[in-house]
């Protein structure tokens, strides 16, 4: 059965209809969870390497060793009795981010954008005091936001000053770019745009907008929110088809390099664009989700099969050459 592209407008209905008509998803080239887990996560990702990406502290140190730019680490807190250190750590800081080392899906992340006489101001405008932040740190340590509920470590890092060319496309939050990389080749990309519904977080399940990106140019393709097509940002009113990601080539090379850095053959790379530092690696995911297909109006299967067919020597060429190949194979508007 041939694997044909599918119109974006058809994808939400197909996704909702998967239980009764799975053949339609197959025909559209949509990668399902079982195939992803069996063929790509289990097939390309040795389990002993998972800790490198499941723990954000380890990911940050690994990236720094490879000279990949990451948000600056301010401090870590690894025990409940050390929670009292928080006051000293943030006393002179107007902005910072608190996150769990083993969190996923944006859970447990608190972004502080400023401060006033009453305390610190979150990205959504809410003012919180030291007691609130200490309680949040304690909850992170207890494993409230970690994978499997395991005891966790608190990361406090610099807040990203994201590129202002993207400011109209996101609401009270930093937009990030997810690139799926298979055997060192970028195969699909999207940006996740924060909304009021997502509480300023780039989390699709909470209501962020997912906007597919042309691998050739970094230009917007199609966008979805809650699985349905959208043309304008729901809070800023910005036309989404006008978005162009800056530093696009540099960003894709960074994503491709994560293959050598981690040894993982199938991963999601989450990257942000800092105003002064350019592309910065935020985190890596050994089990990237499948919603990126909705945002792109295209299935992953045909692209991944092309990568599956490559030789081992094809995976050892330099990252910038792998990117150029991906752009030639999967780019939508190479001459734009």
């Amino acid at each position: 059965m041939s694997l044909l592209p599918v119109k974006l407008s058809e994808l939400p209905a197909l996704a909702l209809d998967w239980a009764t008509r799975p053949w339609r998803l197959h025909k559209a080239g949509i990668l399902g969870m079982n195939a992803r887990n069996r063929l790509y996560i289990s097939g390309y990702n040795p389990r002993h390497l998972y800790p490198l990406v499941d723990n954000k502290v380890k990911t940050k140190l690994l990236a720094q060793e490879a000279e990949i730019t990451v948000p600056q680490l301010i401090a870590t807190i690894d025990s409940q009795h050390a929670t009292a250190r928080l006051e000293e750590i943030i006393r002179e800081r107007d902005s910072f981010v608190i996150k769990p080392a083993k969190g996923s899906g944006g859970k447990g992340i608190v972004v502080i954008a400023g401060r006033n006489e009453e305390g610190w101001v979150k990205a959504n405008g809410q003012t919180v005091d030291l007691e609130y932040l200490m309680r949040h740190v304690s909850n992170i340590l207890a494993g409230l936001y970690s994978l499997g509920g395991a005891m966790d470590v608190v990361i406090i890092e610099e807040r990203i000053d994201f590129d202002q060319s993207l400011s109209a496309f996101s609401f009270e939050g930093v937009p990030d770019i997810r690139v799926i990389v298979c055997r060192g080749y970028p195969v699909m990309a999207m940006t996740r745009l924060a909304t009021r519904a997502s509480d300023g977080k780039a989390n699709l399940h909470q209501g962020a907008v997912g906007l597919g990106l042309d691998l050739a140019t970094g230009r917007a393709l199609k966008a979805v929110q809650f699985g349905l097509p959208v043309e304008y940002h729901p809070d800023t009113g910005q036309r989404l088809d006008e978005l162009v990601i800056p530093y696009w080539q540099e960003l894709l090379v960074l994503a491709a390099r994560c293959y050598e850095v981690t040894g993982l053959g199938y991963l999601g790379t989450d990257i942000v664009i800092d105003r002064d530092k350019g592309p910065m690696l935020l985190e890596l995911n050994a089990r990237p989700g499948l919603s990126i297909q909705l945002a792109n109006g295209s299935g992953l299967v045909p692209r991944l099969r092309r990568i599956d067919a490559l030789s081992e020597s094809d995976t050892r060429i330099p990252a910038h050459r792998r990117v150029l190949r991906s752009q030639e194979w999967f780019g939508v508007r190479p001459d734009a």
Side-chain angles (χ1 to χ4, degrees):
M1 183 177 294
S2 62
L3 295 172
L4 303 176
V6 65
K7 293 180 180 179
L8 176 72
S9 58
E10 296 173 348
L11 276 175
L14 287 175
L16 294 173
D17 199 28
W18 70 271
T20 55
R21 300 188 181 182
W23 63 270
R24 297 182 67 196
L25 294 176
H26 179 76
K27 185 176 181 179
I30 303 301
L31 181 68
M33 187 176 296
N34 290 339
R36 180 203 64 174
N37 294 347
R38 178 171 55 88
L39 299 175
Y40 296 101
I41 294 178
S42 296
Y44 285 140
N45 292 347
R47 184 164 291 276
H48 73 275
L49 297 177
Y50 282 21
L52 297 178
V53 298
D54 285 347
N55 186 313
K56 294 180 179 62
V57 175
K58 291 184 178 180
T59 302
K60 187 182 292 288
L61 295 176
L62 194 67
Q64 288 177 330
E65 185 177 332
E67 298 184 345
I68 290 176
T69 305
V70 294
Q72 181 184 353
L73 180 66
I74 296 172
T76 61
I77 297 176
D78 59 9
S79 64
Q80 293 287 353
H81 75 266
T83 303
R85 289 182 51 225
L86 181 65
E87 181 178 12
E88 178 183 353
I89 293 169
I90 66 174
R91 182 185 299 146
E92 303 299 327
R93 294 187 176 272
D94 294 337
S95 65
F96 51 89
V97 176
I98 298 175
K99 62 170 62 173
K102 301 176 184 177
S104 64
K107 297 176 182 177
I109 297 176
V110 170
V111 179
I112 299 299
R115 65 190 305 172
N116 56 33
E117 294 180 355
E118 299 177 6
W120 288 267
V121 182
K122 293 172 62 177
N124 64 4
Q126 177 189 2
T127 297
V128 297
D129 57 16
L130 180 63
E131 182 180 355
Y132 172 97
L133 295 174
M134 291 183 68
R135 185 166 59 250
H136 185 72
V137 165
S138 180
N139 286 337
I140 291 175
L141 292 168
L144 185 61
Y145 309 105
S146 65
L147 293 166
M151 301 291 283
D152 210 338
V153 172
V154 176
I155 297 174
I156 304 172
E157 64 183 22
E158 67 173 341
R159 175 175 175 255
I160 298 157
D161 187 8
F162 72 93
D163 193 291
Q164 290 305 297
S165 67
L166 303 175
S167 61
F169 295 94
S170 193
F171 180 78
E172 295 181 348
V174 177
D176 71 0
I177 297 94
R178 161 66 60 89
V179 181
I180 301 292
V181 177
C182 185
R183 302 182 75 194
Y185 286 79
V187 293
M188 193 170 283
M190 70 173 173
T191 182
R192 295 174 291 198
L193 308 173
T195 65
R196 189 185 303 274
S198 70
D199 192 28
K201 297 178 181 177
N203 186 305
L204 297 187
H205 299 294
Q206 294 179 11
V209 170
L211 195 157
L213 298 170
D214 177 11
L215 279 183
T217 63
R219 295 180 180 275
L221 294 174
K222 301 292 184 179
V224 293
Q225 185 185 31
F226 295 118
L228 298 175
V230 292
E231 296 182 5
Y232 298 87
H233 192 285
D235 302 302
T236 70
Q238 173 67 44
R239 281 188 61 92
L240 297 172
D241 62 4
E242 295 177 354
L243 182 144
V244 182
I245 299 295
Y247 303 100
W248 184 241
Q249 211 68 15
E250 183 180 343
L251 184 152
L252 288 182
V253 172
L254 186 159
R257 287 184 59 208
C258 291
Y259 170 59
E260 284 91 355
V261 171
T262 64
L264 294 168
Y266 186 74
L267 74 162
T269 63
D270 294 340
I271 299 168
V272 294
I273 307 294
D274 186 84
R275 184 178 65 180
D276 299 317
K277 301 177 183 179
M280 301 177 70
L281 180 66
L282 201 58
E283 60 182 80
L284 297 171
N285 194 320
R287 313 166 191 83
L290 300 169
S291 298
I292 193 170
Q293 298 172 105
L294 289 177
N296 277 267
S298 181
L300 276 164
V301 171
R303 303 186 186 196
L304 292 174
R305 286 189 174 176
R306 182 152 198 168
I307 303 303
D308 291 339
L310 297 176
S311 67
E312 284 300 315
S313 62
D314 287 321
T315 68
R316 292 194 290 270
I317 66 174
H320 73 275
R321 289 179 55 198
R322 298 198 302 267
V323 167
L324 291 175
R325 283 188 175 187
S326 288
Q327 292 177 308
E328 178 184 351
W329 295 335
F330 311 130
V332 178
R333 297 193 295 270
D335 299 324

